[in-house]
Amino acid sequence: LTFNNRRIVQLHGSVRGRTPADRAEAASRVLGEIVRGRGSLDVTLTPVASAMLVTVGGRDVFVILPDDVDTLANTDLTRTANEAAANLRVALAEAAEVYQVGSMAMAITVAATGTIVYFAILFVMVRFHRRLAANAEASAERRLQKISATDLDSVRDSRAAQIVRHAVMAITVIAAAVLTYVWLTFTLRRFPFTRALGESLREILINLVINGALAVARAMPDLLMVALIAVVTRVLVRLSNLLFQAAEAGRVELPYIYPETAAPSRRLVAALLWLGALIVAYPYLPGSDSDVFKGVSVFLGLIVSIGSSGIANQIMSGFTITYSRAVRTGDFVKIGDIEGTVLQVGALSTKVRTLLQEEVTIPNAVVVGQVTTNYSRFADKDGLYIPTTVTIGYDTPWRQVEALLLLAAERTPGIRRQPPPIVRQTALMDFYVQYRLLVSIENPALRVVTLDRLHANIQDAFNEHGVQIMSPNYEADPEGKKIVSRDNWFAPPAPTDRPGP
């Protein structure tokens, strides 16, 4: 039985063939007639045999039977009747309030005032959100530029500023939703016909806040333990970071840790520390023993197990590259057919910038499986030798060829004077001699450019002295012997004080 959106009582029993629904409908109709008649609204209870008769203004409305009592709720007939009478008095008072002009005018005025205040606060929140979002985004960009001032493109690509803006928007939307809920509850409670709904909404909000506060209070010891674990882990991570940063700068020496492996070791140790902290703190997390939490954990574990085989292979390959010190950031290397400068050795891939300004991403497993040539490893200390080969016929003095090759090396910029260039006769072929020139270059990244200039200077030097660069082949023996006469052994620019190799 409901009246004026108020629940009065729940009926279960039948009377003389009338179902509980018929009884409730008849009682609701009588209550409406009483309110419209502007009669007395006094509610009284009269025992009748084993039942309880409910009357309003001396008019019988409905009967509460023993069958209407909910025995599972641990109640009796008298208590059920008293609760029904109390609910009925509230419903009747609210129904009568509709016919009171002064009360309704006041309700409309208060509701209108609350609505104006609601929209004013909402307008201020929208304006404040725009300004706060703009300031937060600008602040995030400034901080990122300080962190990575030399790489503005990475700042733009990180989308951190957009994330901050979206976070501010989410907070504003949540605040607006709470404000709307409060306004709706306040407005509904102003009018008799919707007051029950407004009270229900308010009760839901109050219960939500109370239950949340109680849950936080009950979880406070565990939360304090989680916070303590986080603080201790944070301190350990900072100490390890300081230690590895000192090793990276060369201020301290750690066993099996080199300056180039200190940075990845620092990140690895920090990740292991936080992973251990998560394992230790897991039992203290609120809801960690719930079925939902366990189900989500199993689901995430299944996803990681299915998709982690390839990722684990790349990560382990990355560790192999890092701790074998095969390549480092800034090295000029050749990995398979890819030649260029190493930009990054990541957990999953290695990035190389080629001479054509192409960025090539090579999976770490591919790097481990390929032959890698590092041109920069000994370039600063011992110098990087690069070879070039020419083949000249036997009728050209070998001393002259060596001198011309050394002259071309001397003219080429980017070639070191120490260690000096070297010329070797690497093979005596059937028709010609193979000469190899070895030079040490200053910048391995300019190897191709330096070779280009060296080849040009070799051609110029040979042309200046009338020496033909060719690899002769014969189909028959020539009439004369293809030898160098002793008078031409020291043809310019060959030195005269060098009798032989």
Side-chain angles (χ1 to χ4, degrees), residues 434-446:
Q434 185 180 73
Y435 300 88
R436 173 170 290 184
L437 172 64
L438 297 175
V439 296
S440 177
I441 63 175
E442 297 175 351
N443 188 352
L446 299 178

Side-chain angles (χ1 to χ4, degrees), residues 207-229:
N207 290 337
L208 182 63
V209 173
I210 293 176
N211 292 335
L214 292 176
V216 171
R218 287 192 295 267
M220 190 59 67
D222 292 339
L223 293 176
L224 291 176
M225 181 59 69
V226 172
L228 178 61
I229 293 173

Side-chain angles (χ1 to χ4, degrees), residues 440-460:
S440 177
I441 63 175
E442 297 175 351
N443 188 352
L446 299 178
R447 188 172 65 92
V448 175
V449 177
T450 304
L451 273 177
D452 172 73
R453 301 312 308 157
L454 177 60
H455 291 159
N457 289 327
I458 289 175
Q459 296 180 65
D460 291 343

Side-chain angles (χ1 to χ4, degrees), residues 96-114:
E97 187 178 341
V98 176
Y99 298 98
Q100 300 174 5
V101 178
S103 299
M104 292 304 298
M106 179 60 69
I108 294 173
T109 302
V110 173
T113 304

Side-chain angles (χ1 to χ4, degrees), residues 34 239 242:
I34 293 173
L239 291 176
L242 292 175

Side-chain angles (χ1 to χ4, degrees), residues 185-198:
T185 302
F186 175 82
T187 304
L188 292 176
R189 290 177 56 240
R190 298 308 100 194
F191 303 97
F193 191 74
T194 58
R195 188 170 297 158
L197 179 59

